[in-house]
Amino acid sequence: MTGGTIRALGLAGAVAAASVAGATGAQAGAFGLREQSAQGLGVAFAGAASGGAGVSSIFWNPATVTMRPGFASEQSLSFINLSGEITPTVGTAPGLLPFGASGEVGQGAVVPSGATSYQLTDRLWVGIQTGAPYGLVTKPRQDWAGSVYARSSRIFSLAFNPVVGFKVNDWLSVAAGPSVEYFRLTLRQAVPVPGTFPGLYPSGFIKGESWGVGFTAGVLVTPAAGTAIGVGYRSSVHHDIEGSIGFPDPRQAIALGQVRANLNTPEKVSVGLTQAINPVTRINLGFEWDNWSRLGDVGIVSRALGVTVNHLPLNFKDSFFYSIGAEYDWSPNLTLRAGFGYDNVPIDFSNRSARLPDSDRYVVSIGGSYRWSETVLLTASYAHAFFDRGLLLAGPGRDYNIGNIPLAASTDVSADVVSVGFRYQWDAPAAVAPAPLVRKF
């Protein structure tokens, strides 16, 4: 394997990490993370675009900022416990089969998020939502049959989304605002060295970061009392990822210099419906579309040479998420929730890799909120994701190919998410007239 190829593969992995940060994320396909709201998790994020995720609904639809009078802040903390294993099968390079399965690749991760809304006038609101739209922490065993395709991946992302919302009339609200995103990543994988025993392959690594800016916009319609319909849009964000690389032979890193890759995240469209069945019961429906197919092949460029030295063939498909949930006010201070979702992810056998053992999944969730006082609301939710079993094939003739080393494997993944949150009302606002949707919580 040439130094240029090794370098390109190293950067390809880095871009993979940056662009598939949540590839095995619990609640979203490819590299998206949906854990932005403890309240939303309780209903499997159904109706998030119509206010079903509380103040944090701003993430899906900024127009929901107009649903809450006064000055309110909401914070959530989600623990994602990912469990997964990649098991090599016949078709893997015979010399690597003895190294066996990946072991537990999942790593527990805590995802914070928050949102604040502030009413300026009867018609005008401002707000901000912060969270991690992308993230991944996976670490298989150091030496396993697929270590040349993945050893460890660590991604940190953070997005800031200030918004301005305007209540046009009694039944229509609109909002928009910029979205500023930050990526930081570290990726490691085994580097095949001629004459070296596979179990002793050294690691290569890449570290990189990027800032990018996009925007969000949304519409909220309340055609009748107890009914809310929302549509939200998150634009693509362009990232020019720059990184440094490390090789077993430091002369390679010095000669090849810095690397970069241009990546555009997918647009997202979210649709939500919240319908009050009676004074204490509400039904939520949700739909999300992510334009993952826009990613295609990501070019890998040498800053020193100024030429594309390789590419990362993501070749994702579009993804679709469908959800339904219900809320029931057990008492004036207690609301119970449950939800179900189906995530048709953009990854299948044609583009699944050792870094992305993702597959379609079913999500079931439960949760509740307790009003501690007139100003404090406490929320807790739990969700379990059932992943379809998947097959993985890399090597000669495949898009993912390192040194013509074949890897055939099956994947078995599941995830549990526990989320807690609180909301604080900083004032005692008068009710909005007319209110977009009457909610106890």
Side-chain angles (χ1 to χ4, degrees), residues 126-141:
V126 294
I128 185 170
Q129 192 276 334
T130 60
Y134 314 116
L136 173 67
V137 181
T138 59
K139 188 176 182 180
R141 294 189 299 110

Side-chain angles (χ1 to χ4, degrees), residues 29-30 266-267 287-296 315-322 343-348 351 360:
E267 299 91 343
F287 169 78
E288 296 178 31
W289 166 75
D290 289 89
N291 187 24
W292 290 107
S293 59
R294 79 184 323 277
L295 272 67
N315 295 324
F316 289 166
K317 300 173 174 60
D318 289 353
S319 69
F320 303 89
F321 180 69
Y322 312 86
D343 209 346
N344 181 207
V345 304
I347 295 169
D348 56 21
N351 55 20
D360 293 349

